[in-house]
Amino acid sequence: MIDIIIIGAGPAGLSAALYASRAGASVLMLDGAAPGGKLNVSAEIENWPGQKKVAGPDLAYQMFEHGLAFGASYEYGLVEKVEDLGDYKVVVTTDKTYEARMVLVASGTVERKLGLEKEEELTGKGISYCAVCDGPFFKEEEVAVIGGGNSALEEANYLTKFASIVHLIVRRDQFRADKIVQDKIKANDKIKIHFLQKPIEIIEENNKVAGLVLEHSQTSETMNLPVKGIFPYVGLDPITSFVSHLGITNKVGYIEVDKHMETNVKGIFGAGDVIDKVLRQVVTATNDGAIAGQYMSELLQDQSLQK
């Protein structure tokens, strides 16, 4: 019986592991991807206090090492279901079952798809959801980034290291990103901004992306962009299907928690991007994890004293 199982080894999960294990709890982290979460697909982090600029994968590695420093362990595992059995919980992965006194869900979010025909079959063949991972494949090519928030603009700016032209496709008539990010975009002459445009068709040649058809939101006029790469950043969805039956999520799937990061099911907690909150950033994820990790360890200590 493990004290705490943490589902997700991103900033929230790693922070919780650090606090809980440092307080003496036995902690197991499970994740179906590389530790660090979305840090691994972020080229640069400029708002992590104490470091003016740090590469996302570097920060991920630092957090992972620190998260394990006080005895927490990590295993690869794709969680399929969490069951509440009162005093303990059961976590079922694709190939193993675990038992724990408490569970923290810090599974984060997944990139939302465009919903266009051929999108699935062309993923990895011109469509990518990770500019850091795949940007180098598009040297001196034209690419399109879709979205108007911080992620879209930051990744568009990053892609100019490789691409000849980056077309930034924005459905609205303005950006939703921070002003400092917008200023970088406007100052970069390799970025062409297309406001009030939405993608309606992916052009395919030889089983690869060969272009993108856009439609003007007001006039319905269409235009073709001769891009070889498409990078959608049109929103995120919470990864919570494995706890949806527990009644701890809102109507769009985000986990609802109290000030201690506990859900309405005693002993099950949430932290990071997966919970219902206003700001999803690395610093707020680590905050959530610290609160959850400390509180869970205090509850465990109280329970042991009562026995």
Side-chain angles (χ1 to χ4, degrees), residues 20-42:
S21 60
R22 188 170 179 268
S26 60
V27 178
L28 170 64
M29 282 184 290
L30 297 172
D31 203 318
K38 285 189 170 49
L39 287 175
N40 290 306
V41 295
S42 300

Side-chain angles (χ1 to χ4, degrees), residues 132-192:
V132 175
C133 310
D134 298 328
F137 293 116
F138 299 95
K139 289 181 179 179
E140 301 306 316
E141 301 280 9
E142 293 188 34
V143 301
V145 173
I146 303 166
N150 280 329
S151 294
L153 271 63
E154 288 168 353
E155 301 312 299
N157 193 57
Y158 173 78
L159 284 166
T160 60
K161 294 181 178 181
F162 312 102
S164 58
I165 297 175
V166 176
H167 296 275
L168 185 55
I169 317 303
V170 187
R171 299 183 186 223
R172 304 182 184 186
D173 60 355
Q174 60 184 354
F175 293 122
R176 292 179 290 107
D178 297 334
K179 184 178 182 302
I180 188 171
V181 182
Q182 292 187 40
D183 290 343
K184 288 182 180 179
I185 291 296
K186 293 172 183 176
N188 194 325
D189 59 9
K190 292 182 73 175
I191 295 177
K192 290 188 177 182

Side-chain angles (χ1 to χ4, degrees), residues 212-233:
L212 183 65
V213 181
L214 304 180
E215 180 182 83
H216 195 278
S217 301
Q218 295 178 344
T219 66
S220 296
E221 292 182 9
T222 61
M223 65 180 293
N224 290 10
L225 293 179
V227 297
K228 297 295 176 61
I230 299 172
F231 293 81
Y233 290 91

Side-chain angles (χ1 to χ4, degrees), residues 192-203:
K192 290 188 177 182
I193 303 168
H194 304 267
F195 285 117
L196 291 172
Q197 297 283 352
K198 58 183 180 181
I200 61 170
E201 183 184 346
I202 300 167
I203 301 172

Side-chain angles (χ1 to χ4, degrees), residues 26-137:
S26 60
V27 178
L28 170 64
M29 282 184 290
L30 297 172
D31 203 318
K38 285 189 170 49
L39 287 175
N40 290 306
V41 295
S42 300
E44 294 177 343
I45 308 292
E46 294 184 322
N47 52 6
W48 178 247
Q51 292 180 275
K52 291 182 179 179
K53 185 180 291 187
V54 59
D58 290 346
L59 185 57
Y61 183 73
Q62 293 166 17
M63 284 189 178
F64 181 61
E65 279 199 318
H66 201 182
L68 300 184
F70 296 97
S73 58
Y74 166 85
E75 290 183 20
Y76 176 86
L78 292 170
V79 176
E80 295 186 332
K81 191 175 184 180
V82 174
E83 298 176 356
D84 172 35
L85 297 180
D87 291 340
Y88 72 100
K89 321 300 174 189
V90 174
V91 178
V92 181
T93 69
T94 51
D95 55 7
K96 199 170 180 180
T97 298
Y98 303 85
E99 293 181 353
R101 293 179 175 85
M102 297 178 184
V103 169
L104 171 65
V105 181
S107 45
T109 56
V110 64
E111 290 74 14
R112 191 173 297 154
K113 302 295 191 294
L114 294 171
L116 298 180
E117 188 179 350
K118 301 179 183 178
E119 182 176 4
E120 293 290 341
E121 62 191 77
L122 291 176
T123 296
K125 300 174 182 178
I127 297 178
S128 171
Y129 302 89
C130 177
V132 175
C133 310
D134 298 328
F137 293 116

